[in-house]
Amino acid sequence: MVQPLPYAALMPLAPWEAPATVAEALESLRRQTLPPQQVVVSCDGTPPMPLHQCLEASGLPIELVMGPGSEGVGPVLARGLLHCREELVLRVDADDLSLPERAACQVSWMEQQPQVLVMSTPI
C-alpha cells in the first residue's frame, strides 16, 4: 500500500481570534483521517494567554511562529510558509471547520495531479 504524501497545515492567527472558535478549528484538524505531520501557526503578534493555551491543549504537532504584529495575513502566511517542512501545505483558517476527509481528499488529488502547484476551493 502506497503511503499518502505527508503535509503541513498552515494557519494564520490574529490576536483577536476567539479561543473557542480556534479550538473548534484545531479539533477538526486533529480529527482528519490523514493527520498533518506539522501544524504551523503563524501569529500576527503575540497571542493572548487564552489563545496560547488553546494551541497547547490541541494535541497537534504545533509549531508557533511569532511576528511583530499588525502585519496582515499576507506577511503572516509568508513567514509561516518558511517554517513548513513538508512540500505539501494545507492552508487552514482559524475558523475553518473541516470535514474529517478534507486533507485526505486534497492530498490524494494533488498526488494525482503532479503538474498542479496550487489548489483552491470556493467557500
Side-chain angles (χ1 to χ4, degrees):
M1 182 173 171
V2 177
Q3 292 293 326
L5 288 173
Y7 72 95
L10 174 58
M11 176 187 286
L13 184 66
W16 57 80
E17 299 285 356
T21 302
V22 175
E24 285 183 275
L26 292 171
E27 178 61 18
S28 76
L29 192 55
R30 191 186 67 74
R31 285 183 289 178
Q32 291 300 297
T33 58
L34 179 61
Q37 297 299 114
Q38 174 191 31
V39 178
V40 175
V41 177
S42 188
C43 301
D44 193 359
T46 304
M49 187 53 68
L51 274 178
H52 193 73
Q53 291 168 334
C54 168
L55 297 172
E56 287 180 349
S58 73
L60 290 165
I62 289 181
E63 181 175 334
L64 197 56
V65 179
M66 307 296 272
S70 300
E71 299 172 279
V73 73
V76 168
L77 284 170
R79 180 179 49 255
L81 190 58
L82 295 174
H83 290 266
C84 292
R85 293 185 297 271
E86 303 300 336
E87 184 177 340
L88 193 56
V89 177
L90 179 72
R91 162 78 158 82
V92 297
D93 282 320
D95 62 354
D96 280 357
L97 299 179
S98 300
L99 294 173
E101 299 81 22
R102 174 191 175 181
C105 289
Q106 289 181 314
V107 168
S108 173
W109 191 89
M110 291 296 287
E111 286 178 318
Q112 295 169 28
Q113 311 295 325
Q115 76 282 8
V116 176
L117 298 177
V118 177
M119 175 179 66
S120 183
T121 60
I123 294 177

